[in-house]
Amino acid sequence: MQTYLELDEFCKLVHLNEDVVKGMMANGALNFKEEEGKIYIEANQGTFSVVPSTSSKPAMVNSMTLAGESFVEKTIGTILNLHEKVLDAKDETLETLRNENKFLKDALYSMQEIYDEDRKTIENLNAELKNARDEAEFLKRKYKLMWNKTIEMYGGTASSETSEETAINEENKEG
């Protein structure tokens, strides 16, 4: 039993251009028939015609074999080209990631330095604030003692004090 394929299907099956297949048909390398305006190629005989033979006849090398070799060469070339592009893209991606990683490390170190400086500044300001509070407390005690001595020295009597001095004395006693 013979199986026939349409010309388009046969071309897709053997991965050949339609012109190459028609050339093989013209050379008699393929059995075909034409029905209702469509070309049908014998599938079994056609597939054996596409596979290069190992005989020693140089005449067997035809345009079909050359087209098949050209197709394979183009396919391999395309694959190698795509592989090179993938490798180049990989190298570019790695370089970009390395640069980004370096940038992030530098930014992290910079932030750490700023944090350390801020911490030292906060410690210095806290120390200055503590010193200012201690000095204010010391001045408060000093003026309280001075006012108490002044009050004792100039009188101790309520009648000699003015209302302003009385208010200051009361404040100092409370503070």
Side-chain angles (χ1 to χ4, degrees):
M1 181 175 163
Q2 295 177 344
T3 307
Y4 285 90
L5 293 174
E6 277 190 57
L7 178 63
D8 292 343
E9 291 178 49
F10 184 80
C11 290
K12 289 178 185 176
L13 178 69
V14 295
H15 302 288
L16 291 176
N17 188 330
E18 190 174 311
D19 294 333
V20 174
V21 173
K22 284 183 179 179
M24 292 176 67
M25 290 168 39
N27 290 340
L30 294 174
N31 290 337
F32 66 95
K33 65 180 179 179
E34 199 168 334
E35 291 179 1
E36 299 175 10
K38 293 183 181 180
I39 300 173
Y40 293 95
I41 300 172
E42 185 179 338
N44 291 337
Q45 190 267 335
T47 54
F48 290 120
S49 297
V50 173
V51 176
S53 67
T54 57
S55 69
S56 61
K57 296 180 186 177
M60 295 295 273
V61 177
N62 56 26
S63 63
M64 162 67 181
T65 305
L66 294 176
E69 288 175 5
S70 175
F71 173 75
V72 170
E73 287 176 6
K74 287 180 182 177
T75 303
I76 290 172
T78 303
I79 291 170
L80 290 175
N81 192 13
L82 288 173
H83 181 69
E84 287 178 22
K85 287 181 181 179
V86 167
L87 289 178
D88 290 344
K90 180 192 76 153
D91 292 341
E92 289 176 16
T93 302
L94 286 174
E95 186 62 30
T96 301
L97 290 174
R98 284 187 188 114
N99 289 339
E100 188 175 331
N101 191 20
K102 184 181 181 307
F103 172 76
L104 291 173
K105 281 182 183 177
D106 291 344
L108 185 61
Y109 289 139
S110 176
M111 291 298 292
Q112 184 65 37
E113 289 174 4
I114 291 171
Y115 172 74
D116 290 343
E117 289 175 11
D118 287 349
R119 193 172 33 144
K120 288 177 185 175
T121 302
I122 289 171
E123 288 174 3
N124 289 339
L125 290 174
N126 281 336
E128 287 180 24
L129 182 61
K130 184 181 180 303
N131 289 340
R133 284 181 182 157
D134 290 346
E135 188 174 332
E137 192 64 36
F138 172 75
L139 289 174
K140 196 187 271 185
R141 284 192 308 257
K142 180 179 173 184
Y143 285 118
K144 188 176 184 180
L145 287 173
M146 280 178 35
W147 280 111
N148 284 341
K149 283 186 182 180
T150 305
I151 290 172
E152 289 173 5
M153 240 170 96
Y154 289 108
T157 62
S159 59
S160 64
E161 292 181 8
T162 64
S163 61
E164 193 175 299
E165 291 173 338
T166 306
I168 291 174
N169 285 335
E170 292 298 321
E171 246 182 61
N172 286 335
K173 288 180 185 177
E174 290 175 9

